[in-house]
Amino acid sequence: MNFNSTIMIKKYASALFILLAIICISFKSIAQTTPDPGLAGTYAVSFTNYNLGDLAFTDASFPNPMEVRGNVHYPTALSSGPFPVLVFLHGRHSTTYETSDPSNTALEWPPSAGFQSITSFQGYDYLAQQMASHGYIVISISANAINADDNSLSDRGMPARAALTQHHLDLWNTWNTTGGAPFGTTFVGALDLQNVGTMGHSRGGEGVVAHALLNRSLGSPYGVKAVLPLAPVDFAREILNDM
């Protein structure tokens, strides 16, 4: 190795060291300024829910009426908003249980006599509470009607999940602009519907991908900025780019 080569190696080594130092300082700065979502945030959190009925929504993509029901966790001081919105969509499972014997479950909708709905959408309450404390309005929706009959369809109910999710956002758009039952004017101006994130598990995972594509096909009335398919199925092999 000649003298010039040694100089060049030292020069590049020095440049690499400086670059790594800059990167480390940058990451340290990010770590110091980005809240840890595993810790409670600074917002006090309130809770409400809505249930417009077991057969409240119909769509051409699905043969049966669907329920419109959701849990909502939100920053108590709504005047500090508008807040970005998260929508959660659960996966597929039994939809009802027998009240006299909860171990006896069924895949039906609406619940028959002596049976009640399995409220899987409430299973995200712990996460919704946490995210709301960081300044999000979090809506977890029920999709039992779809679960009860999606295996009879070649699309496994994905367009229906997309339509149901969009329907909930349509409702929230109304509650955010003019208000209305069941919330009155509580949420008027509180939601930033141009900053929406969705999360779905299993069949709900493919469902939120289908929803993002549906929202885009409608001209993106809602600003779906992030989609998290958690352990999703992928029956339709749909592709979601630029997200």
Side-chain angles (χ1 to χ4, degrees), residues 88-120:
F88 295 164
L89 180 61
H90 62 80
R92 188 174 191 269
H93 49 75
S94 296
T95 55
T96 63
Y97 69 95
E98 189 174 16
T99 53
S100 61
D101 180 11
S103 65
N104 183 26
T105 62
L107 204 60
E108 61 175 6
W109 196 260
S112 58
F115 282 73
Q116 292 188 27
S117 170
I118 294 176
T119 54
S120 186

Side-chain angles (χ1 to χ4, degrees), residues 83 89 96 110 116 209 214 231 237:
F83 297 99
L89 180 61
T96 63
Q116 292 188 27
V209 171
L214 171 64
R237 301 294 193 267

Side-chain angles (χ1 to χ4, degrees), residues 18-216:
I18 293 170
L19 178 61
L20 288 173
I22 292 171
I23 292 172
C24 289
I25 292 169
S26 298
F27 275 112
K28 182 178 180 182
S29 176
I30 291 170
Q32 290 174 339
T33 59
T34 302
D36 181 353
L39 300 175
T42 59
Y43 290 91
V45 176
S46 293
F47 168 79
T48 189
N49 57 50
Y50 56 104
N51 185 353
L52 305 187
D54 289 342
L55 307 172
F57 175 60
T58 58
D59 187 78
S61 65
F62 199 68
N64 305 322
M66 294 165 261
E67 79 270 31
V68 177
R69 187 176 182 185
N71 274 8
V72 190
H73 290 78
Y74 60 95
T76 302
L78 287 173
S79 60
S80 300
F83 297 99
V85 178
L86 301 178
V87 181
F88 295 164
L89 180 61
H90 62 80
R92 188 174 191 269
H93 49 75
S94 296
T95 55
T96 63
Y97 69 95
E98 189 174 16
T99 53
S100 61
D101 180 11
S103 65
N104 183 26
T105 62
L107 204 60
E108 61 175 6
W109 196 260
S112 58
F115 282 73
Q116 292 188 27
S117 170
I118 294 176
T119 54
S120 186
F121 70 100
Q122 295 178 350
Y124 295 124
D125 281 356
Y126 74 99
L127 176 58
Q129 166 82 25
Q130 187 78 349
M131 295 308 296
S133 77
H134 285 280
Y136 295 88
I137 292 178
V138 189
I139 305 155
S140 181
I141 67 175
S142 179
N144 276 344
I146 300 172
N147 284 348
D149 204 33
D150 59 357
N151 266 4
S152 69
L153 305 173
S154 60
D155 59 34
R156 295 297 189 265
M158 298 308 161
R161 288 179 172 88
L164 179 63
T165 304
Q166 192 78 350
H167 179 65
H168 278 269
L169 287 174
D170 288 341
L171 289 171
W172 279 101
N173 186 46
T174 298
W175 294 329
N176 189 49
T177 52
T178 61
F183 302 124
T185 59
T186 298
F187 288 99
V188 170
L191 287 78
D192 181 0
L193 289 170
Q194 291 309 307
N195 275 302
V196 177
T198 61
M199 184 281 294
H201 172 238
S202 191
R203 294 201 186 192
E206 187 173 355
V208 293
V209 171
H211 167 257
L213 293 170
L214 171 64
N215 182 66
R216 184 177 291 172

